[in-house]
Amino acid sequence: MITVRNLTHSFGEAVVLDDISLQIEDGEWVVLAGPNGSGKTTLVRQFNALLEPDEGTVLVNGRDAHEEPVAARTSVGMVFQSPRDQFVAATVGADVAFGPENLGLSHEEIDRRVEESLAAVNMGGRADERIDELSGGEQARVAIAGALAMEPDHLVLDEPFTGLDWPARRSLLDALDERDAAGTSIVVVTHDLRDLFERADRIVGIADGSISFDCPPERAREKLPDIDVRNPD
Amino acid sequence: MLTYSPGETIVHRLDPRSKLCFQLGFAIAAFGSPTIPRLFGLFAVGFAVVWLAGFTVRRALRAYWFVLLVLALGPLIAAVTIGSPWLRLDPALASLRSVTRIVPIILVSAAYIHATPIRDTRAAVQRTVPGKAGQLLGVGVALTFRYVPVLREDLRQIQEAISVRGGDSRSVRDRAGRIATLSLARAIGRSDQLAVALQARCFAWNPTLPRLSFSRMDYLVVLCSVLLAVTVLLPLETLVLFP
């Protein structure tokens, strides 16, 4: 479970998050929707202690994320908006192995995690391929595999569908459905809600650093225009 | 662009420690007296290594074009004299022989980069150099190998962005200023993204390093490296091959 209590974060004098409280249960699928600059990315970067709040706390599975960042980063897998920003190795297998290697796991355990993570995103048997020779959709799936290799309880994806064509988007959604079925909670940060209404348990609308609404998808439809987010067709 | 490419060549299969050892032996051999027979020998070995790595000389030279350009300036500068006769051939030839020996070193290093995963290089460095120094060196080498191609790609994109909007018509000074400023901004941005990515994935100075193992071929390569290094001591010109 991820619990955010009275979180405030500023960049200089600009208050990006203003007294936000939120809870994400295990196994839940939550969409954080909001226009550009609303504070969505700043919020999710607190989940695994990539940013430190000015005020408030973030608890991941009951432990303070900023006091125990490694535990938080192991429990919360983060997939960045641009997969290229996340890659730290040249080949698929080396990049997916990077996280487990940092945890000091045995070679056998690392090999198992790499194999299973790649299989989970339909990239099995492609560990030796160069990342920069993959399509955008494949790169997005490798980025997810890199997060899955940490065996997180929660998977956070920041604008995962940006720049993806329909087949790549479909393939990414299939991979997320599999993780959902496996019991991983999924948090998707986006302003593009196509295909997410039928999947999400809740939609949390964020505007100007505050939560505007937090409700089931069917009730969110009427509220989305209020925060300048388009309803999906 | 020169980066690691997966493959099954003999050079790909070698342990990175033996490959590093070979580069060291080869560099020592190259920095011996730059006689013509020795240069021929160095080029022959350099070409052979590139071929064995499944790489091409053309791609290796293209990857290092800027270094080659700088090297080419050496003989030109050496030829110039302040005052009459303004140009002298002998110093230029001596300089040419000196800089020419760098080219086969470049070929061998290009073959290494092409055939060695970055994390294997990190593992080789950290296992060879003990303690914090090895960790620092290993991480430094790994990050350099990983990010130089990314930064070069950024530079190429900046040049293209300037060209497609008619920027080629501007003065060299204007273009150079823009490229320098934008490249620096991108590099800072990249390093920021890298820091966040490393944090998010629990970066550790002493992670589980990939398995490395020496085969018979690796021992042979190490032996060749030692032999190459000691050729510096041999007067090759006295051998029958090079009377």
Side-chain angles (χ1 to χ4, degrees):
Chain A
M1 187 199 297
I2 301 173
T3 308
V4 179
R5 285 189 194 140
N6 307 110
L7 192 78
T8 299
H9 190 95
S10 308
F11 290 116
E13 294 191 357
V15 179
V16 182
L17 297 176
D18 188 10
D19 195 27
I20 280 193
S21 294
L22 179 71
Q23 188 151 306
I24 294 162
E25 303 289 341
D26 291 342
E28 235 186 343
W29 186 313
V30 177
V31 174
L32 296 184
N36 292 339
S38 56
K40 308 184 295 289
T41 298
T42 305
L43 174 61
V44 294
R45 287 196 173 199
Q46 310 270 356
F47 292 176
N48 57 2
L50 292 176
L51 290 174
E52 193 172 345
D54 299 337
E55 288 174 38
T57 53
V58 176
L59 303 177
V60 176
N61 299 338
R63 297 158 82 175
D64 191 304
H66 296 91
E67 285 176 10
E68 300 178 64
V70 174
R73 287 165 192 161
T74 309
S75 299
V76 181
M78 172 74 82
V79 180
F80 295 146
Q81 183 171 359
S82 165
R84 258 185 95 179
D85 295 345
Q86 180 173 330
F87 299 134
V88 293
T91 58
V92 171
D95 192 78
V96 176
F98 181 77
E101 283 174 352
N102 288 330
L103 298 179
L105 303 173
S106 67
H107 288 116
E108 291 74 22
E109 177 66 9
I110 292 168
D111 292 345
R112 181 190 69 76
R113 287 191 180 201
V114 170
E115 199 174 312
E116 287 184 7
S117 304
L118 287 175
V121 295
N122 293 321
M123 290 291 287
R126 301 179 67 177
D128 289 333
E129 291 186 28
R130 288 182 55 79
I131 290 172
D132 55 12
E133 290 174 357
L134 301 177
S135 68
E138 289 169 335
Q139 288 190 355
R141 283 188 279 152
V142 173
I144 292 177
L148 292 180
M150 304 293 272
E151 300 199 337
D153 304 314
H154 318 279
L155 191 58
V156 178
L157 301 102
D158 191 357
E159 302 281 6
F161 306 115
T162 306
L164 297 188
D165 59 15
W166 168 238
R169 186 184 175 97
R170 174 83 258 164
S171 152
L172 186 53
L173 284 165
D174 288 345
L176 293 180
D177 285 341
E178 279 194 31
R179 296 323 304 164
D180 181 43
T184 308
S185 58
I186 294 172
V187 179
V188 178
V189 174
T190 188
H191 54 79
D192 174 6
L193 290 128
R194 284 174 295 162
D195 311 306
L196 296 178
F197 264 73
E198 62 269 31
R199 289 178 167 83
D201 296 307
R202 283 155 59 205
I203 294 183
V204 178
I206 299 180
D208 300 326
S210 299
I211 292 179
S212 292
F213 58 86
D214 181 350
C215 58
E218 57 274 16
R219 281 179 49 210
R221 278 191 189 274
E222 62 200 58
K223 298 171 189 275
L224 285 170
D226 297 342
I227 58 168
D228 292 329
V229 174
R230 193 177 150 210
N231 259 311
D233 298 327
Chain B
M1 198 167 293
L2 183 57
T3 53
Y4 168 66
S5 292
E8 286 297 320
T9 70
I10 192 168
V11 181
H12 280 85
R13 289 197 300 268
L14 288 172
D15 187 288
R17 289 168 294 185
S18 66
K19 286 188 262 190
L20 287 171
C21 183
F22 182 84
Q23 286 198 84
L24 182 64
F26 190 76
I28 292 171
F31 280 100
S33 174
T35 58
I36 299 293
R38 192 181 293 276
L39 286 174
F40 271 114
L42 290 170
F43 270 96
V45 175
F47 288 147
V49 170
V50 168
W51 179 72
L52 286 170
F55 202 43
T56 65
V57 172
R58 189 161 164 260
R59 283 178 64 196
L61 296 180
R62 271 186 63 185
Y64 283 101
W65 70 269
F66 190 74
V67 177
L68 295 171
L69 183 70
V70 172
L71 288 176
L73 291 175
L76 288 175
I77 293 167
V80 176
T81 60
I82 300 171
S84 181
W86 302 108
L87 282 174
R88 289 176 58 209
L89 192 58
D90 286 351
L93 286 175
S95 172
L96 182 64
R97 276 201 285 187
S98 286
V99 297
T100 304
R101 61 189 162 173
I102 308 294
V103 179
I105 296 176
I106 283 174
L107 294 177
V108 171
S109 75
Y112 176 86
I113 294 169
H114 172 75
T116 312
I118 297 164
R119 64 179 183 150
D120 283 9
T121 300
R122 181 184 177 186
V125 171
Q126 285 194 217
R127 286 192 176 135
T128 308
V129 183
K132 199 73 184 170
Q135 290 173 8
L136 271 171
L137 195 58
V139 171
V141 168
L143 291 181
T144 304
F145 277 6
R146 176 70 191 103
Y147 276 89
V148 165
V150 174
L151 294 177
R152 286 187 61 182
E153 178 63 17
D154 282 347
L155 178 62
R156 191 187 60 76
Q157 286 176 357
I158 291 167
Q159 287 172 321
E160 280 182 1
I162 289 174
S163 293
V164 295
R165 293 166 70 190
D168 290 341
S169 59
R170 292 181 176 243
S171 70
V172 173
R173 189 177 169 183
D174 181 285
R175 277 182 289 157
R178 282 173 198 277
I179 288 172
T181 310
L182 290 169
S183 298
L184 184 64
R186 289 262 185 116
I188 292 169
R190 287 275 177 211
S191 57
D192 190 37
Q193 289 161 357
L194 169 67
V196 174
L198 291 176
Q199 270 187 309
R201 299 178 72 186
C202 302
F203 170 78
W205 284 101
N206 199 19
T208 307
L209 295 169
R211 299 177 188 93
L212 299 179
S213 63
F214 254 56
S215 65
R216 279 186 202 163
M217 186 59 77
D218 287 297
Y219 287 108
L220 194 62
V221 169
V222 171
L223 181 65
C224 288
S225 313
V226 175
L227 290 175
L228 268 171
V230 297
T231 58
V232 174
L233 306 173
L234 299 177
L236 286 187
E237 295 69 21
T238 63
L239 297 179
V240 178
L241 277 173
F242 308 112

PDB file of all heavy atoms in Angstrom, chain A residues 169-192:
ATOM      1  N   ARG A 169       0.798   0.551 -28.253  1.00  0.00           N
ATOM      2  CA  ARG A 169      -0.065   0.871 -27.102  1.00  0.00           C
ATOM      3  C   ARG A 169      -0.807  -0.391 -26.643  1.00  0.00           C
ATOM      4  O   ARG A 169      -0.876  -0.691 -25.456  1.00  0.00           O
ATOM      5  CB  ARG A 169      -1.067   1.945 -27.547  1.00  0.00           C
ATOM      6  CG  ARG A 169      -1.923   2.491 -26.456  1.00  0.00           C
ATOM      7  CD  ARG A 169      -2.938   3.469 -27.076  1.00  0.00           C
ATOM      8  NE  ARG A 169      -3.859   3.927 -26.063  1.00  0.00           N
ATOM      9  CZ  ARG A 169      -3.734   5.077 -25.404  1.00  0.00           C
ATOM     10  NH1 ARG A 169      -2.749   5.877 -25.660  1.00  0.00           N
ATOM     11  NH2 ARG A 169      -4.618   5.420 -24.479  1.00  0.00           N
ATOM     12  N   ARG A 170      -1.323  -1.144 -27.623  1.00  0.00           N
ATOM     13  CA  ARG A 170      -2.044  -2.382 -27.337  1.00  0.00           C
ATOM     14  C   ARG A 170      -1.132  -3.364 -26.580  1.00  0.00           C
ATOM     15  O   ARG A 170      -1.511  -3.968 -25.592  1.00  0.00           O
ATOM     16  CB  ARG A 170      -2.489  -2.959 -28.696  1.00  0.00           C
ATOM     17  CG  ARG A 170      -3.133  -4.284 -28.708  1.00  0.00           C
ATOM     18  CD  ARG A 170      -4.604  -4.166 -28.399  1.00  0.00           C
ATOM     19  NE  ARG A 170      -4.828  -4.561 -27.025  1.00  0.00           N
ATOM     20  CZ  ARG A 170      -5.915  -4.309 -26.321  1.00  0.00           C
ATOM     21  NH1 ARG A 170      -6.864  -3.583 -26.839  1.00  0.00           N
ATOM     22  NH2 ARG A 170      -6.062  -4.743 -25.106  1.00  0.00           N
ATOM     23  N   SER A 171       0.093  -3.476 -27.111  1.00  0.00           N
ATOM     24  CA  SER A 171       1.046  -4.415 -26.524  1.00  0.00           C
ATOM     25  C   SER A 171       1.415  -4.008 -25.087  1.00  0.00           C
ATOM     26  O   SER A 171       1.534  -4.853 -24.196  1.00  0.00           O
ATOM     27  CB  SER A 171       2.271  -4.441 -27.445  1.00  0.00           C
ATOM     28  OG  SER A 171       3.400  -4.756 -26.777  1.00  0.00           O
ATOM     29  N   LEU A 172       1.539  -2.694 -24.874  1.00  0.00           N
ATOM     30  CA  LEU A 172       1.864  -2.206 -23.531  1.00  0.00           C
ATOM     31  C   LEU A 172       0.694  -2.457 -22.572  1.00  0.00           C
ATOM     32  O   LEU A 172       0.884  -2.901 -21.435  1.00  0.00           O
ATOM     33  CB  LEU A 172       2.178  -0.706 -23.619  1.00  0.00           C
ATOM     34  CG  LEU A 172       2.668  -0.013 -22.358  1.00  0.00           C
ATOM     35  CD1 LEU A 172       3.862  -0.730 -21.764  1.00  0.00           C
ATOM     36  CD2 LEU A 172       3.048   1.428 -22.670  1.00  0.00           C
ATOM     37  N   LEU A 173      -0.523  -2.221 -23.054  1.00  0.00           N
ATOM     38  CA  LEU A 173      -1.703  -2.468 -22.214  1.00  0.00           C
ATOM     39  C   LEU A 173      -1.818  -3.949 -21.858  1.00  0.00           C
ATOM     40  O   LEU A 173      -2.162  -4.297 -20.724  1.00  0.00           O
ATOM     41  CB  LEU A 173      -2.969  -2.002 -22.953  1.00  0.00           C
ATOM     42  CG  LEU A 173      -3.178  -0.479 -22.989  1.00  0.00           C
ATOM     43  CD1 LEU A 173      -4.233  -0.104 -24.023  1.00  0.00           C
ATOM     44  CD2 LEU A 173      -3.564   0.051 -21.613  1.00  0.00           C
ATOM     45  N   ASP A 174      -1.503  -4.820 -22.819  1.00  0.00           N
ATOM     46  CA  ASP A 174      -1.543  -6.272 -22.545  1.00  0.00           C
ATOM     47  C   ASP A 174      -0.565  -6.620 -21.417  1.00  0.00           C
ATOM     48  O   ASP A 174      -0.882  -7.400 -20.519  1.00  0.00           O
ATOM     49  CB  ASP A 174      -1.178  -7.074 -23.804  1.00  0.00           C
ATOM     50  CG  ASP A 174      -2.299  -7.030 -24.835  1.00  0.00           C
ATOM     51  OD1 ASP A 174      -3.427  -6.637 -24.455  1.00  0.00           O
ATOM     52  OD2 ASP A 174      -2.040  -7.370 -26.006  1.00  0.00           O
ATOM     53  N   ALA A 175       0.634  -6.013 -21.498  1.00  0.00           N
ATOM     54  CA  ALA A 175       1.648  -6.291 -20.467  1.00  0.00           C
ATOM     55  C   ALA A 175       1.158  -5.803 -19.100  1.00  0.00           C
ATOM     56  O   ALA A 175       1.348  -6.479 -18.078  1.00  0.00           O
ATOM     57  CB  ALA A 175       2.966  -5.609 -20.831  1.00  0.00           C
ATOM     58  N   LEU A 176       0.490  -4.637 -19.083  1.00  0.00           N
ATOM     59  CA  LEU A 176      -0.028  -4.109 -17.813  1.00  0.00           C
ATOM     60  C   LEU A 176      -1.166  -4.975 -17.280  1.00  0.00           C
ATOM     61  O   LEU A 176      -1.270  -5.204 -16.073  1.00  0.00           O
ATOM     62  CB  LEU A 176      -0.497  -2.661 -17.992  1.00  0.00           C
ATOM     63  CG  LEU A 176       0.608  -1.645 -18.295  1.00  0.00           C
ATOM     64  CD1 LEU A 176       0.040  -0.250 -18.443  1.00  0.00           C
ATOM     65  CD2 LEU A 176       1.673  -1.668 -17.199  1.00  0.00           C
ATOM     66  N   ASP A 177      -2.007  -5.464 -18.198  1.00  0.00           N
ATOM     67  CA  ASP A 177      -3.104  -6.357 -17.769  1.00  0.00           C
ATOM     68  C   ASP A 177      -2.538  -7.600 -17.085  1.00  0.00           C
ATOM     69  O   ASP A 177      -3.092  -8.072 -16.085  1.00  0.00           O
ATOM     70  CB  ASP A 177      -3.938  -6.775 -18.995  1.00  0.00           C
ATOM     71  CG  ASP A 177      -4.829  -5.643 -19.478  1.00  0.00           C
ATOM     72  OD1 ASP A 177      -5.068  -4.705 -18.691  1.00  0.00           O
ATOM     73  OD2 ASP A 177      -5.264  -5.695 -20.645  1.00  0.00           O
ATOM     74  N   GLU A 178      -1.444  -8.102 -17.618  1.00  0.00           N
ATOM     75  CA  GLU A 178      -0.825  -9.297 -17.012  1.00  0.00           C
ATOM     76  C   GLU A 178      -0.320  -8.996 -15.607  1.00  0.00           C
ATOM     77  O   GLU A 178      -0.452  -9.801 -14.696  1.00  0.00           O
ATOM     78  CB  GLU A 178       0.330  -9.797 -17.881  1.00  0.00           C
ATOM     79  CG  GLU A 178      -0.146 -10.643 -19.047  1.00  0.00           C
ATOM     80  CD  GLU A 178       0.990 -11.404 -19.697  1.00  0.00           C
ATOM     81  OE1 GLU A 178       1.949 -11.769 -18.988  1.00  0.00           O
ATOM     82  OE2 GLU A 178       0.915 -11.602 -20.917  1.00  0.00           O
ATOM     83  N   ARG A 179       0.297  -7.818 -15.444  1.00  0.00           N
ATOM     84  CA  ARG A 179       0.792  -7.455 -14.109  1.00  0.00           C
ATOM     85  C   ARG A 179      -0.373  -7.251 -13.150  1.00  0.00           C
ATOM     86  O   ARG A 179      -0.300  -7.608 -11.979  1.00  0.00           O
ATOM     87  CB  ARG A 179       1.630  -6.155 -14.156  1.00  0.00           C
ATOM     88  CG  ARG A 179       2.897  -6.207 -14.942  1.00  0.00           C
ATOM     89  CD  ARG A 179       3.631  -7.520 -14.845  1.00  0.00           C
ATOM     90  NE  ARG A 179       3.958  -7.927 -13.493  1.00  0.00           N
ATOM     91  CZ  ARG A 179       4.317  -9.157 -13.151  1.00  0.00           C
ATOM     92  NH1 ARG A 179       4.368 -10.105 -14.059  1.00  0.00           N
ATOM     93  NH2 ARG A 179       4.608  -9.443 -11.902  1.00  0.00           N
ATOM     94  N   ASP A 180      -1.453  -6.668 -13.667  1.00  0.00           N
ATOM     95  CA  ASP A 180      -2.656  -6.459 -12.850  1.00  0.00           C
ATOM     96  C   ASP A 180      -3.190  -7.814 -12.380  1.00  0.00           C
ATOM     97  O   ASP A 180      -3.510  -7.995 -11.197  1.00  0.00           O
ATOM     98  CB  ASP A 180      -3.696  -5.718 -13.696  1.00  0.00           C
ATOM     99  CG  ASP A 180      -4.967  -5.437 -12.909  1.00  0.00           C
ATOM    100  OD1 ASP A 180      -4.845  -5.042 -11.742  1.00  0.00           O
ATOM    101  OD2 ASP A 180      -6.065  -5.615 -13.467  1.00  0.00           O
ATOM    102  N   ALA A 181      -3.247  -8.769 -13.318  1.00  0.00           N
ATOM    103  CA  ALA A 181      -3.751 -10.104 -12.970  1.00  0.00           C
ATOM    104  C   ALA A 181      -2.834 -10.786 -11.953  1.00  0.00           C
ATOM    105  O   ALA A 181      -3.286 -11.598 -11.140  1.00  0.00           O
ATOM    106  CB  ALA A 181      -3.859 -10.948 -14.236  1.00  0.00           C
ATOM    107  N   ALA A 182      -1.538 -10.426 -11.984  1.00  0.00           N
ATOM    108  CA  ALA A 182      -0.581 -11.031 -11.047  1.00  0.00           C
ATOM    109  C   ALA A 182      -0.630 -10.367  -9.667  1.00  0.00           C
ATOM    110  O   ALA A 182       0.099 -10.765  -8.756  1.00  0.00           O
ATOM    111  CB  ALA A 182       0.826 -10.944 -11.623  1.00  0.00           C
ATOM    112  N   GLY A 183      -1.455  -9.310  -9.525  1.00  0.00           N
ATOM    113  CA  GLY A 183      -1.636  -8.700  -8.212  1.00  0.00           C
ATOM    114  C   GLY A 183      -0.810  -7.458  -7.958  1.00  0.00           C
ATOM    115  O   GLY A 183      -0.828  -6.906  -6.854  1.00  0.00           O
ATOM    116  N   THR A 184      -0.077  -6.991  -8.969  1.00  0.00           N
ATOM    117  CA  THR A 184       0.711  -5.759  -8.803  1.00  0.00           C
ATOM    118  C   THR A 184      -0.228  -4.560  -8.914  1.00  0.00           C
ATOM    119  O   THR A 184      -1.056  -4.517  -9.822  1.00  0.00           O
ATOM    120  CB  THR A 184       1.778  -5.652  -9.920  1.00  0.00           C
ATOM    121  OG1 THR A 184       2.517  -6.863  -9.959  1.00  0.00           O
ATOM    122  CG2 THR A 184       2.699  -4.482  -9.711  1.00  0.00           C
ATOM    123  N   SER A 185      -0.098  -3.613  -7.995  1.00  0.00           N
ATOM    124  CA  SER A 185      -0.922  -2.415  -8.165  1.00  0.00           C
ATOM    125  C   SER A 185      -0.286  -1.530  -9.231  1.00  0.00           C
ATOM    126  O   SER A 185       0.945  -1.464  -9.343  1.00  0.00           O
ATOM    127  CB  SER A 185      -1.097  -1.666  -6.847  1.00  0.00           C
ATOM    128  OG  SER A 185       0.140  -1.301  -6.325  1.00  0.00           O
ATOM    129  N   ILE A 186      -1.129  -0.883 -10.025  1.00  0.00           N
ATOM    130  CA  ILE A 186      -0.628  -0.101 -11.158  1.00  0.00           C
ATOM    131  C   ILE A 186      -1.119   1.330 -11.055  1.00  0.00           C
ATOM    132  O   ILE A 186      -2.315   1.570 -10.846  1.00  0.00           O
ATOM    133  CB  ILE A 186      -1.093  -0.750 -12.488  1.00  0.00           C
ATOM    134  CG1 ILE A 186      -0.420  -2.127 -12.623  1.00  0.00           C
ATOM    135  CG2 ILE A 186      -0.764   0.137 -13.684  1.00  0.00           C
ATOM    136  CD1 ILE A 186      -0.917  -2.955 -13.751  1.00  0.00           C
ATOM    137  N   VAL A 187      -0.172   2.255 -11.172  1.00  0.00           N
ATOM    138  CA  VAL A 187      -0.511   3.681 -11.156  1.00  0.00           C
ATOM    139  C   VAL A 187      -0.064   4.251 -12.497  1.00  0.00           C
ATOM    140  O   VAL A 187       1.124   4.210 -12.834  1.00  0.00           O
ATOM    141  CB  VAL A 187       0.208   4.423 -10.006  1.00  0.00           C
ATOM    142  CG1 VAL A 187      -0.141   5.907 -10.022  1.00  0.00           C
ATOM    143  CG2 VAL A 187      -0.150   3.803  -8.659  1.00  0.00           C
ATOM    144  N   VAL A 188      -1.024   4.755 -13.268  1.00  0.00           N
ATOM    145  CA  VAL A 188      -0.685   5.339 -14.568  1.00  0.00           C
ATOM    146  C   VAL A 188      -0.921   6.838 -14.498  1.00  0.00           C
ATOM    147  O   VAL A 188      -2.020   7.291 -14.159  1.00  0.00           O
ATOM    148  CB  VAL A 188      -1.544   4.718 -15.698  1.00  0.00           C
ATOM    149  CG1 VAL A 188      -1.220   5.371 -17.029  1.00  0.00           C
ATOM    150  CG2 VAL A 188      -1.304   3.216 -15.786  1.00  0.00           C
ATOM    151  N   VAL A 189       0.138   7.583 -14.814  1.00  0.00           N
ATOM    152  CA  VAL A 189       0.044   9.044 -14.856  1.00  0.00           C
ATOM    153  C   VAL A 189      -0.194   9.439 -16.303  1.00  0.00           C
ATOM    154  O   VAL A 189       0.606   9.096 -17.173  1.00  0.00           O
ATOM    155  CB  VAL A 189       1.375   9.670 -14.368  1.00  0.00           C
ATOM    156  CG1 VAL A 189       1.349  11.179 -14.550  1.00  0.00           C
ATOM    157  CG2 VAL A 189       1.634   9.306 -12.925  1.00  0.00           C
ATOM    158  N   THR A 190      -1.297  10.119 -16.587  1.00  0.00           N
ATOM    159  CA  THR A 190      -1.568  10.439 -17.987  1.00  0.00           C
ATOM    160  C   THR A 190      -2.625  11.533 -18.129  1.00  0.00           C
ATOM    161  O   THR A 190      -3.361  11.833 -17.189  1.00  0.00           O
ATOM    162  CB  THR A 190      -2.050   9.166 -18.740  1.00  0.00           C
ATOM    163  OG1 THR A 190      -2.132   9.445 -20.130  1.00  0.00           O
ATOM    164  CG2 THR A 190      -3.408   8.691 -18.238  1.00  0.00           C
ATOM    165  N   HIS A 191      -2.656  12.122 -19.313  1.00  0.00           N
ATOM    166  CA  HIS A 191      -3.799  12.986 -19.640  1.00  0.00           C
ATOM    167  C   HIS A 191      -4.550  12.385 -20.830  1.00  0.00           C
ATOM    168  O   HIS A 191      -5.469  12.981 -21.360  1.00  0.00           O
ATOM    169  CB  HIS A 191      -3.344  14.415 -19.937  1.00  0.00           C
ATOM    170  CG  HIS A 191      -2.298  14.502 -20.991  1.00  0.00           C
ATOM    171  ND1 HIS A 191      -2.582  14.424 -22.324  1.00  0.00           N
ATOM    172  CD2 HIS A 191      -0.957  14.604 -20.899  1.00  0.00           C
ATOM    173  CE1 HIS A 191      -1.445  14.518 -23.011  1.00  0.00           C
ATOM    174  NE2 HIS A 191      -0.461  14.618 -22.168  1.00  0.00           N
ATOM    175  N   ASP A 192      -4.111  11.182 -21.225  1.00  0.00           N
ATOM    176  CA  ASP A 192      -4.738  10.471 -22.336  1.00  0.00           C
ATOM    177  C   ASP A 192      -5.390   9.205 -21.767  1.00  0.00           C
ATOM    178  O   ASP A 192      -4.710   8.227 -21.478  1.00  0.00           O
ATOM    179  CB  ASP A 192      -3.648  10.126 -23.365  1.00  0.00           C
ATOM    180  CG  ASP A 192      -4.171   9.251 -24.481  1.00  0.00           C
ATOM    181  OD1 ASP A 192      -5.392   9.010 -24.527  1.00  0.00           O
ATOM    182  OD2 ASP A 192      -3.355   8.807 -25.304  1.00  0.00           O
TER     183      ASP A 192
END
